[in-house]
Amino acid sequence: MTVFTVTKEGEVTLTSDVLKGLGIHPGDRIAVVERPGGRLELSPVKEVVAAAGQETGGLEKFFGSLKNEHNIHATLEEIQEAMEAGWAGEVRFDDDR
């Protein structure tokens, strides 16, 4: 266990070994989540960097990624049968039947 001291400005300095263990590097941003019992969870913020001319994230981008390029439509019964066949090992994910 590592113990840190809070300065009068309310700051805490994390040592390099703790940062390394968390996979956090200089310049990274850190997300802090409050957990029950007065605990905090620290993790690096993973940001997606957009290429020139591309937008990042957003609900519109997510729904745009769900395009049905092969025009596949299945009933709930067909989906259920496919799931059962997959769990039973009767069909593989790359089977096109």
Side-chain angles (χ1 to χ4, degrees):
M1 176 170 81
T2 305
V3 177
F4 299 100
T5 302
V6 179
T7 67
K8 58 184 167 186
E9 290 83 19
E11 299 174 336
V12 175
T13 301
L14 302 178
T15 58
S16 59
D17 59 323
V18 169
L19 293 172
K20 183 178 179 182
L22 293 170
I24 298 172
H25 303 93
D28 284 354
R29 295 176 18 172
I30 300 173
V32 179
V33 178
E34 294 180 43
R35 297 290 181 198
R39 296 181 178 270
L40 298 177
E41 178 181 296
L42 305 175
S43 59
V45 175
K46 304 292 183 189
E47 296 184 36
V48 177
V49 179
Q54 288 184 334
E55 59 185 66
T56 59
L59 194 56
E60 292 82 13
K61 184 163 179 78
F62 168 74
F63 281 110
S65 70
L66 300 176
K67 293 178 184 165
N68 187 359
E69 296 175 359
H70 301 289
N71 199 26
I72 298 171
H73 300 280
T75 65
L76 290 177
E77 290 79 17
E78 291 170 328
I79 294 170
Q80 182 69 33
E81 289 173 10
M83 289 186 330
E84 290 172 359
W87 277 106
E90 298 169 359
V91 65
R92 294 173 17 133
F93 72 91
D94 56 352
D95 189 349
D96 287 341
R97 67 171 167 152

